[in-house]
Amino acid sequence: MTRMPKDQPVILITGAAGRIGSLLRRALPDDVGIAHHFGGSFGLRATDILDPGPGAGHEDFRVGNLADPGFVDALFEDGRVAAVIHLAGYPREAGWDVLLDANIRSSINLWEAARKTGVDRVLYASSNHATGFYPRSRKIDHRVTQRPDSRYGLTKVFGEELGFLYAHKFGVRSFSMRIGMFLPQPTSHRGLSNWLSLPDTVRLVMVGLTADYICEVVYGVSNNTRSFWDNSAAYRLGYRPQDDAEAFAERFPGPDNPDDHRAEHFQGGPYVSNGLTAPTEYLAELDFDTR
Ligand SMILES: NC(=O)c1ccc[n+]([C@@H]2O[C@H](COP(=O)([O-])OP(=O)(O)OC[C@H]3O[C@@H](n4cnc5c(N)ncnc54)[C@H](O)[C@@H]3O)[C@@H](O)[C@H]2O)c1
């Protein structure tokens, strides 16, 4: 554990051994804009159920399970956590037994600890699968009702609504990022619409850490020509993504799943058709042409 000056504010990153967490642990310490926001300097506290092993940096890293409320409370007990970047979770479809601990209990414990210790804000890694049942032909913004396409997507809706409740009821600001496809480069046709580059991820998190808001939902997406989303909420707060998946368009000319019309029709892609047993006419009210 690294010692930090006693009154230095701390940013807590959960899921810090994961893909996005590893990027942010490298990128945030050098960000002068964030340091300025926190009055000159800040410390990083990182946590994950997995130990990232040696060479992970100099931050205060704590290994444990966020589904354990005692472990979560201890992360906050010195009262120095000013902001949380909540990335921990099971990042794809799974059974309820997995998702309950990783995505639901963990998030409840985290927001409760934030409330009890007066944390200013929580940035939350939501997902495009919170709205995956919208058709690709419809450009949606942050105001649409969620349409989760999976159990996983529903856990992300729950996280967004935890943010809503704890912001308006308890004064913990909330910044939910409906992340599309976080990768160095898009790897599919659908990715031409929902790709989020690594540098744009840092830019969006920077906005979430420093902008003035109470409760916001934004899309975690680059400046893609074919984006499914109107990301005006993020732009209003100062997000200026620099990357556009169109640069990779020649690599992915056709549909990813030519035989799966439902996956191709909806923004959530294969998350929609995976395990889908409802009769086709049940999709009519979701703008799916059932003829
Ligand atoms: N990568 C993407 O394209 C993408 C897209 C949409 C949303 N997201 C969300 O962003 C977040 C981070 O994604 P990622 O790609 O870095 O995922 P990841 O799987 O690489 O990282 C998630 C981390 O959370 C940790 N974790 C899981 N359960 C935990 C628990 N109970 N207690 C403590 N730690 C736990 C895991 O060990 C893992 O290191 C996830 O919540 C994911 O749902 C990611």
Side-chain angles (χ1 to χ4, degrees), residues 126-136 138-150 152-157 160-161 177-180 190 194 217-220 228-229 265-269 271-272 286-287:
S126 183
S127 165
N128 68 95
H129 295 292
T131 50
F133 250 134
Y134 278 95
R136 300 184 188 195
R138 180 164 161 200
K139 198 157 197 162
I140 58 171
D141 70 9
H142 54 287
R143 290 171 295 200
V144 296
T145 309
Q146 298 105 324
R147 287 187 182 178
D149 60 18
S150 48
Y152 165 71
L154 183 55
T155 67
K156 294 299 179 179
V157 172
E160 291 185 3
E161 299 303 345
M177 303 172 284
R178 287 183 186 154
I179 299 168
R190 180 165 156 265
N194 71 2
V217 173
V218 299
Y219 288 90
F228 297 143
W229 306 307
H265 178 78
F266 289 107
Q267 295 184 3
Y271 274 64
V272 165
L286 303 181
D287 317 295

Side-chain angles (χ1 to χ4, degrees), residues 230-254:
D230 167 353
N231 208 6
S232 48
Y235 283 69
R236 172 168 42 79
L237 294 171
Y239 178 51
R240 298 289 178 270
Q242 302 296 310
D243 296 311
D244 184 346
E246 209 57 23
F248 304 91
E250 279 184 9
R251 291 192 207 167
F252 308 105

Side-chain angles (χ1 to χ4, degrees), residues 64-77:
N65 188 347
L66 294 183
D68 170 2
F71 173 73
V72 177
D73 284 347
L75 293 170
F76 290 81
E77 72 188 351

Side-chain angles (χ1 to χ4, degrees), residues 14-21 47-50 64-67 86-92 101-103 106 125-129 152 156 177-183:
T14 75
R19 286 163 291 194
I20 300 178
T47 185
D48 202 291
I49 200 167
L50 298 176
N65 188 347
L66 294 183
H86 181 34
L87 306 170
Y90 195 80
R92 60 189 73 87
D101 265 3
N103 294 14
S106 293
S126 183
S127 165
N128 68 95
H129 295 292
Y152 165 71
K156 294 299 179 179
M177 303 172 284
R178 287 183 186 154
I179 299 168
M181 192 177 286
F182 166 87
L183 281 172

